[in-house]
Amino acid sequence: MSFMQINDLKVHYPIRGGFFNRVIDQVHAVDGITMEFERGKAYGLVGESGCGKSTTGKAIIGLEKISGGSIFYEGENVTNKRRSRKSAFSRDVQMIFQDAHSSLNPRKRVKDIIAEPIRNFLKLSPQEEERKISELLDIVGMPDDAKFKYPHEFSGGQKQRLGIARAIATNPKLIIADEPVSALDLSVQAQVLNFMKDIQNEFGISYLFISHDLGVVKHMCDHISIMYKGRFVESGTKGDIYHNPQHIYTKRLLSAIPEVTPVGREQRKRERIQVEQHYQVEHKNYFDENERVFDLVPVSSTHFVAATSQVKEVM
Amino acid sequence: MKTDELLKINDLHTGFRIKDTFYDAVDGVSLTLRKNEILAIVGESGCGKSTLATSIIGLYDQNKTRVQGEILFDQKNLAALSEEEMNGIRGLQISMIFQDPLSALNPLMRIGEQIEEGLIYHTDLTSEARQARVLELLKQVGIKNPERVARQFPHQLSGGMRQRVIIAIAISCKPQIIIADEPTTALDVTIQAQILDLLIDLQAETEAGIILITHDLGVVAEVADRVAVMYAGEIIEEAPVNELFTNPKHPYTRSLFNSIPQMNSESERLNVIEGIVPSLMNLPRSGCRFSQRIPWIPKEAHEEHPALHEISPGHFVRCTCWKEFHFKTDKGGGTYELHANK
């Protein structure tokens, strides 16, 4: 059973202009997406830059004003609720940011950075708090003396681990990870990903993993949604998306990913060009006249794909 | 130099000055670029791959940088040329494609004018001939309506279009060597695929030699002919692309391969390389530079002065530690071997 439901979430930005700076149009950054989160599962949100995947993450945690739709957390409507110290939702949903460096306050010691969510949400005595911080540093594999250091004294991978320590301080149920490893080198990326998997297994955390890197998403996630212009084009289990992609956009995205073997690369290039041509020709059948993706229709119990115009007419 | 060799680098040292001491970021690199080949240089951030590129093309601060060694091109040593002499080569015979296309373009100049700049400097074409060449170049890099794009400003174009413009500028004078420093890192995968395909097609047409600098092994696998892997300022392995991907030898190369979240494997854990890349000032200047990251390999396995050994035709590996190397199994499930070492 899912503990959190998102129904028809919309985030629209106003475009102002003309006389008196009135709202003259809207940007549909997120335009009607529906998701459910179950315990201990990892959900991937994939798309090209500007497709609205980060906005979705921010809207869920409340950093972005929701224009339509609703979010239910354990039966409670938390749409556009202010983040407060009393709310279970604010405590149980945490975020890891892409740029670890700019997400840590340079003027605070590690101790105070990690203590922030603890002070906000858990009522602990100073000794308990101290113990909790040591425990958290131990979980993310950092030495205890890191407490008294400042963020600039750490490397990129270590900073990202501090960000994770802060996110798991309140024993959250869902962590929204917005491109958590995009800025890291391959070997450091491996370290952070392994570690995120470990704490997932240990604490039963769910992830909303936002990334443009399909390799990373495949490694981490059970369930993947592909996003384009604020809407889902396809959503399903890892197997559904990678072995049985239905939508032309998904196929195009998958064909563009470089494989880590030079064997058969000419063949792949030919296929890629073929898919691209197919995409140009078939484009109008998959998107309406405003480039909007059609609504999702089920293919199987787990696999949903945006309809094509032919299907639309039959319906 | 042999006839098919375009560029030959001999024992290049590029150092940066920090408090009156020069620290070599590129430390004794020797490389050869042949005609009509794509040579990929891979490595993690801080390994010196971009420094190598800027040393070749001479884009460094003369006051803070020291370049020693030879960069032989067209019977000249680029490392010893004056700024004026380099200006005659840059853009004409050797050109560069940068990582971030927006900051590489002048925001106040129209696209057409920016492409024309190199032509004005290096050729004596008439104004009309230059205009025609600009349109031809834009068409060549796959821009559908060149007349319109030539009149536009950089901010009006998408990331992929901007990178195409950068490539058009780079090939405008038909250079013999193109240095591409992370040309697709800032782009989405679909655009990345298009730009890489474009690079391959252009190379087939122009027969230029391309030095491709990247950290993405997937990109290397898709386009490179030969690969050099760099670690801490040195080349630690060099091989033709098929050989490197099927038969990597150096512990660093093999560790890197095992850190990739594979599209096709379902393995739970990724390989982690112990420790961190040493910073420029703390680089171990003697012995095997990778030895700190594989402490479970006995000291005797390393050479005292690690050299590049040719273990099969065209396949070079530094140090002898690869013979003894095995992965340290992790406590949580162990690492998996992507390429079994036979």
Side-chain angles (χ1 to χ4, degrees):
Chain A
M1 190 37 208
S2 59
F3 65 90
M4 188 164 155
Q5 299 85 29
I6 295 168
N7 299 314
D8 203 26
L9 181 78
K10 286 181 180 144
V11 179
H12 295 176
Y13 296 121
I15 302 175
R16 291 178 184 276
F19 234 27
F20 296 125
N21 223 9
R22 278 173 311 185
V23 178
I24 49 173
D25 203 356
Q26 303 252 321
V27 180
H28 298 221
V30 179
D31 200 14
I33 64 166
T34 301
M35 294 182 95
E36 277 190 9
F37 296 101
E38 281 174 37
R39 266 216 96 126
K41 289 245 171 95
Y43 297 82
L45 204 53
V46 184
E48 294 182 279
S49 47
C51 73
K53 54 189 194 299
S54 288
T55 310
T56 307
K58 284 184 191 161
I60 293 172
I61 202 166
L63 290 173
E64 206 70 73
K65 198 170 170 290
I66 297 168
S67 325
S70 63
I71 300 175
F72 279 86
Y73 176 71
E74 309 230 296
E76 188 195 351
N77 190 346
V78 291
T79 322
N80 280 336
K81 263 224 174 132
R82 280 183 58 206
R83 284 185 76 76
S84 95
R85 292 180 185 181
K86 291 203 186 86
S87 115
F89 174 72
S90 303
R91 187 187 63 220
D92 293 343
V93 179
Q94 294 289 331
M95 191 153 180
I96 303 171
F97 297 90
Q98 171 170 10
D99 183 359
H101 181 73
S102 62
S103 74
L104 302 174
N105 188 337
R107 294 173 60 172
K108 281 187 173 174
R109 290 172 192 274
V110 165
K111 191 178 112 171
D112 296 309
I113 290 172
I114 299 178
E116 210 161 347
I118 301 176
R119 288 170 193 165
N120 280 339
F121 294 113
L122 313 172
K123 289 195 177 65
L124 297 182
S125 68
Q127 290 83 1
E128 284 174 324
E129 183 188 296
E130 191 80 24
R131 206 175 319 130
K132 178 88 186 171
I133 293 168
S134 302
E135 207 180 293
L136 286 166
L137 286 174
D138 186 48
I139 293 173
V140 296
M142 305 269 286
D144 204 49
D145 61 355
K147 265 189 218 173
F148 305 105
K149 291 186 177 170
Y150 287 95
H152 72 264
E153 297 177 63
F154 298 95
S155 70
Q158 287 174 320
K159 272 185 259 191
Q160 196 55 285
R161 282 189 280 167
L162 290 176
I164 297 175
R166 176 176 61 183
I168 60 172
T170 56
N171 299 328
K173 293 199 175 126
L174 175 70
I175 291 182
I176 298 170
D178 188 0
E179 307 261 14
V181 294
S182 306
L184 305 176
D185 268 325
L186 206 50
S187 61
V188 183
Q189 169 180 316
Q191 210 175 33
V192 173
L193 290 179
N194 278 348
F195 170 70
M196 286 179 75
K197 274 219 152 164
D198 289 346
I199 55 170
Q200 181 186 18
N201 295 336
E202 204 164 322
F203 303 107
I205 298 172
S206 305
Y207 286 118
L208 176 61
F209 207 96
I210 299 168
S211 181
H212 67 278
D213 187 334
L214 279 153
V216 172
V217 167
K218 188 181 184 193
H219 180 75
M220 292 296 292
C221 300
D222 312 295
H223 191 278
I224 295 167
S225 302
I226 311 276
M227 211 167 161
Y228 178 70
K229 297 215 165 160
R231 290 171 68 80
F232 285 171
V233 293
E234 194 157 356
S235 178
T237 62
K238 184 156 63 178
D240 291 337
I241 299 288
Y242 285 94
H243 302 306
N244 187 22
Q246 297 288 319
H247 199 274
I248 191 166
Y249 182 76
T250 315
K251 289 181 191 166
R252 177 171 177 244
L253 204 59
L254 289 174
S255 76
I257 303 165
E259 270 189 49
V260 195
T261 165
V263 180
R265 66 185 188 188
E266 282 80 21
Q267 171 72 18
R268 286 204 295 276
K269 187 181 168 191
R270 277 197 296 278
E271 280 171 11
R272 195 157 62 223
I273 291 165
Q274 224 168 40
V275 170
E276 183 67 33
Q277 280 167 351
H278 188 63
Y279 180 79
Q280 300 302 346
V281 175
E282 292 285 307
H283 190 272
K284 60 183 184 299
N285 292 331
Y286 286 86
F287 304 95
D288 73 5
E289 57 273 16
N290 298 326
E291 276 275 301
R292 196 167 186 266
V293 180
F294 296 117
D295 290 337
L296 292 177
V297 290
V299 180
S300 71
S301 61
T302 55
H303 194 174
F304 296 83
V305 179
T308 58
S309 51
Q310 287 97 337
V311 179
K312 208 79 189 165
E313 277 155 28
V314 178
M315 276 160 76
Chain B
M1 276 168 88
K2 292 176 200 139
T3 47
D4 68 332
E5 288 177 354
L6 268 177
L7 184 80
K8 197 169 171 67
I9 301 172
N10 288 326
D11 196 29
L12 181 74
H13 292 260
T14 303
F16 296 116
R17 195 173 68 198
I18 305 170
K19 290 180 189 151
D20 293 330
T21 318
F22 281 97
Y23 294 93
D24 283 352
V26 171
D27 203 356
V29 166
S30 299
L31 262 182
T32 308
L33 177 69
R34 303 194 186 95
K35 258 178 208 152
N36 206 5
E37 98 172 330
I38 300 184
L39 169 67
I41 298 175
V42 247
E44 294 183 284
S45 44
C47 72
K49 54 191 194 301
S50 288
T51 309
L52 178 62
T54 48
S55 308
I56 296 170
I57 202 165
L59 286 178
Y60 47 81
D61 185 341
Q62 306 255 346
N63 298 319
K64 291 183 186 145
T65 320
R66 182 184 66 183
V67 179
Q68 293 168 320
E70 282 184 320
I71 306 171
L72 298 173
F73 169 72
D74 199 16
Q75 283 129 26
K76 286 185 282 259
N77 178 10
L78 300 185
L81 291 188
S82 69
E83 189 62 21
E84 288 76 49
E85 288 169 307
M86 272 313 285
N87 278 342
I89 291 172
R90 262 196 298 253
L92 180 63
Q93 290 172 297
I94 304 180
S95 63
M96 189 147 174
I97 299 169
F98 297 91
Q99 173 171 2
D100 180 4
L102 188 58
S103 58
L105 289 169
N106 184 338
L108 299 176
M109 273 172 90
R110 291 175 200 277
I111 297 298
E113 293 168 22
Q114 305 203 33
I115 301 175
E116 214 184 327
E117 265 194 322
L119 297 171
I120 296 173
Y121 192 90
H122 290 296
T123 66
D124 32 337
L125 295 174
T126 60
S127 175
E128 288 78 30
R130 287 200 302 264
Q131 299 298 341
R133 175 87 180 125
V134 166
L135 298 183
E136 183 192 322
L137 282 164
L138 285 172
K139 218 176 278 168
Q140 207 178 351
V141 294
I143 287 176
K144 293 209 180 72
N145 34 14
E147 286 86 359
R148 205 184 79 208
V149 172
R151 284 196 309 273
Q152 283 181 316
F153 289 97
H155 74 267
Q156 294 172 295
L157 304 179
S158 65
M161 292 274 267
R162 284 180 207 143
Q163 197 58 296
R164 284 172 196 269
V165 170
I166 295 283
I167 293 174
I169 294 172
I171 61 169
S172 62
C173 297
K174 299 186 176 138
Q176 288 156 276
I177 299 175
I178 300 171
I179 300 170
D181 189 359
E182 305 266 11
T184 57
T185 310
L187 307 173
D188 280 320
V189 275
T190 46
I191 313 294
Q192 164 171 297
Q194 290 168 14
I195 296 289
L196 292 177
D197 289 345
L198 173 68
L199 268 181
I200 299 172
D201 294 342
L202 285 176
Q203 194 212 20
E205 273 171 53
T206 59
E207 301 200 327
I210 297 182
I211 297 179
L212 176 73
I213 292 166
T214 181
H215 68 279
D216 188 335
L217 288 162
V219 169
V220 175
E222 292 289 346
V223 302
D225 298 312
R226 214 147 50 83
V227 190
V229 184
M230 278 185 83
Y231 179 77
E234 290 182 327
I235 289 175
I236 51 106
E237 187 158 6
E238 188 190 326
V241 68
N242 281 315
E243 171 76 6
L244 189 93
F245 278 79
T246 50
N247 198 14
K249 285 285 185 247
H250 196 280
Y252 179 62
T253 318
R254 288 176 60 199
S255 305
L256 268 190
F257 275 123
N258 278 10
S259 313
I260 306 171
Q262 277 286 304
M263 289 295 291
N264 306 317
S265 86
E266 303 291 321
S267 166
E268 270 286 300
R269 291 187 71 79
L270 303 165
N271 176 54
V272 171
I273 306 176
E274 278 199 20
I276 53 164
V277 180
S279 70
L280 193 51
M281 288 162 82
N282 305 324
L283 272 189
R285 298 282 171 187
S286 64
C288 179
R289 297 186 179 191
F290 196 60
S291 59
Q292 303 174 338
R293 317 271 314 256
I294 43 172
W296 62 93
I297 303 297
K299 276 208 178 70
E300 306 82 73
H302 299 286
E303 272 181 304
E304 201 173 327
H305 301 289
L308 277 175
H309 305 282
E310 188 164 15
I311 57 166
S312 63
H315 189 168
F316 297 87
V317 185
R318 193 174 290 277
C319 198
T320 47
C321 54
W322 62 271
K323 290 177 188 163
E324 300 285 322
F325 179 71
H326 55 87
F327 283 104
K328 185 182 174 185
T329 39
D330 231 2
K331 55 177 192 276
T335 53
Y336 63 97
E337 281 251 30
L338 178 58
H339 303 284
N341 189 37
K342 281 154 205 152

